[in-house]
Amino acid sequence: MPLVNTKQMFKDAYEGKYAVGAFNVDILTQCQAALEAAEECNSPIILSFSSGSRDFFHPGNIKDILLIAAKDIHIPWAIHLDHGKSFEVCKSCIDEGFTSVMIDASAYDFEENVRITKQVVEYAHAHGATVEGELGPCSRKDDPRFKKFTDPEMVKEFVERTGVDSLAVSMGTKHGLAKFEEGEEVTLQFDLIDEVARLLPGFPLVLHGSSSIPDEYLHIFNDYGGELKGTKGVPEELLRKVAKTAVCKINIGTDFRVAFVGGLRKSLTEIKDKFEPRNFLVPARELSKKLVKEKLSNVFQSSNKVSRI
Ligand code: G3H
Ligand code: ZN
């Protein structure tokens, strides 16, 4: 049961030129899908809870529940708070046993972001947890330094002043289903990543909003009564390239949810004569597990890369 923080995971990923997949979960069946996929790929994995997912899943006992569920899992895995908005929520997750937290104070100006992030880092490090921060273009549009993408010099200052373990920066992606306009050319800021790697050698960056919305899973979702329209994600080719850079963690929420609920829609439509929940949840688990395995091996290139603990 190697539940770990992200320190060694990211060091190995940086040196090994691959990325660790972080998947957003709401329920135990999704956690099992992700953990089993990682175990079969021999990849590290991060289970990400938003504050809402945590409240829904079981605030207070997530670590205990997952330790039991992961008793046969031998790859390194982490329990992570995604987009924590305050010191208090981060503290509460660390107290509960999360091994990693994200403090997303990017809605504040630079100085306030530094102050809050530093406060979380001090508490987390004293309790063995690691911290991901977020630095948007410059946190606020009314700041004269506002640009479309994050400034590498500001990344350096932010990391040095906060002591944060990894950082999400704005490099060309967005959250959700409709990331780009139809016909829009999708690019990622590889120069920005290279510049951060030059200024802060070995420092891990994080890519948010990384779902690709693959046709296979979207079709299953829509063929069984779904109506997801106007979707456009990040091409997997770009993710394959970025996984080899200083980007050590790639976040997938949308794709994992679409695969799981697509599998559920299919089983609910096709199975007419059964009523045990497992008959419907198993196909959802298997379809979402297939997606995770494809991401880990074909996109993030993390299969067979873990140091077994
Ligand atoms: O924090 C979560 C991820 O950044 C989700 O990204 O919407 O592309 O799946 P996504
Ligand atoms: Zn995100």
Side-chain angles (χ1 to χ4, degrees), residues 7 10-15 165-166 196-205 246 248:
K7 195 82 190 164
F10 290 169
K11 186 172 186 293
D12 291 345
Y14 199 104
E15 288 167 2
D165 301 287
S166 63
V196 172
R198 191 184 70 76
L199 294 170
L200 293 168
F203 182 79
L205 292 173
C248 295

Side-chain angles (χ1 to χ4, degrees), residues 29-309:
T29 312
Q30 286 178 297
C31 297
Q32 290 168 321
L35 287 169
E36 285 173 19
E39 182 74 11
E40 287 172 29
C41 290
N42 200 23
S43 295
I45 198 157
I46 297 170
L47 302 179
S48 279
F49 290 83
S50 65
S51 294
S53 305
R54 172 183 174 239
D55 289 345
F56 173 74
F57 192 103
H58 200 303
N61 292 302
I62 289 176
K63 176 187 169 187
D64 295 336
I65 294 167
L66 291 181
L67 279 178
I68 293 167
K71 70 177 172 40
D72 296 324
I73 299 296
H74 301 287
I75 48 85
W77 58 285
I79 308 174
H80 175 74
L81 170 69
D82 194 27
H83 292 285
K85 296 292 187 194
S86 66
F87 170 77
E88 288 71 25
V89 73
C90 291
K91 176 181 181 300
S92 162
C93 287
I94 293 163
D95 292 346
E96 176 181 339
F98 279 46
T99 54
S100 167
V101 293
M102 175 186 190
I103 173 67
D104 175 1
S106 61
Y108 297 97
D109 65 26
F110 185 81
E111 288 302 321
E112 187 62 359
N113 192 349
V114 166
R115 188 190 69 75
I116 299 170
T117 304
K118 192 163 184 271
Q119 190 186 13
V120 174
V121 168
E122 281 165 6
Y123 190 81
H125 287 181
H127 294 80
T130 39
V131 180
E132 174 184 334
E134 172 152 345
L135 187 63
C138 108
S139 295
R140 270 169 48 156
K141 290 192 172 55
D142 57 0
D143 190 304
R145 296 168 298 182
F146 180 82
K147 282 188 254 146
K148 195 171 174 195
F149 304 110
T150 308
D151 178 350
E153 294 286 350
M154 288 175 76
V155 171
K156 180 172 160 60
E157 183 182 342
F158 190 85
V159 170
E160 288 174 349
R161 287 178 59 190
T162 58
V164 77
D165 301 287
S166 63
L167 191 66
V169 299
S170 175
M171 52 179 121
T173 58
K174 287 183 207 151
H175 288 116
L177 274 174
K179 299 181 190 303
F180 310 101
E181 300 296 326
E182 200 42 57
E184 181 181 349
E185 193 198 348
V186 184
T187 51
L188 293 178
Q189 299 303 299
F190 288 97
D191 289 352
L192 184 164
I193 299 166
D194 291 347
E195 184 59 6
V196 172
R198 191 184 70 76
L199 294 170
L200 293 168
F203 182 79
L205 292 173
V206 177
L207 186 66
H208 281 245
S210 324
S211 283
S212 303
I213 339 282
D215 282 347
E216 178 188 350
Y217 299 90
L218 183 66
H219 285 157
I220 294 172
F221 193 101
N222 284 342
D223 285 351
Y224 292 91
E227 290 187 7
L228 299 180
K229 295 182 185 133
T231 63
K232 190 162 161 69
V234 184
E236 289 192 338
E237 202 42 53
L238 281 179
L239 297 174
R240 264 191 281 281
K241 193 172 160 199
V242 89
K244 294 181 187 296
T245 69
V247 171
C248 295
K249 171 172 177 270
I250 298 184
N251 284 9
I252 301 291
T254 303
D255 283 351
F256 191 47
R257 295 173 178 130
V258 168
F260 189 88
V261 178
L264 199 53
R265 284 189 167 282
K266 185 171 187 293
S267 58
L268 284 165
T269 306
E270 287 178 343
I271 304 172
K272 309 276 189 196
D273 59 346
K274 294 194 171 94
F275 52 85
E276 297 86 348
R278 66 178 181 278
N279 287 307
F280 305 92
L281 287 167
V282 167
R285 183 187 70 197
E286 293 310 304
L287 193 65
S288 58
K289 179 175 163 182
K290 176 167 123 56
L291 176 123
V292 175
K293 287 181 78 170
E294 287 165 3
K295 298 275 184 201
L296 298 178
S297 29
N298 303 337
V299 186
F300 307 156
Q301 299 147 89
S302 67
S303 48
N304 297 316
K305 295 280 175 57
V306 300
S307 348
R308 291 247 166 196
I309 298 170

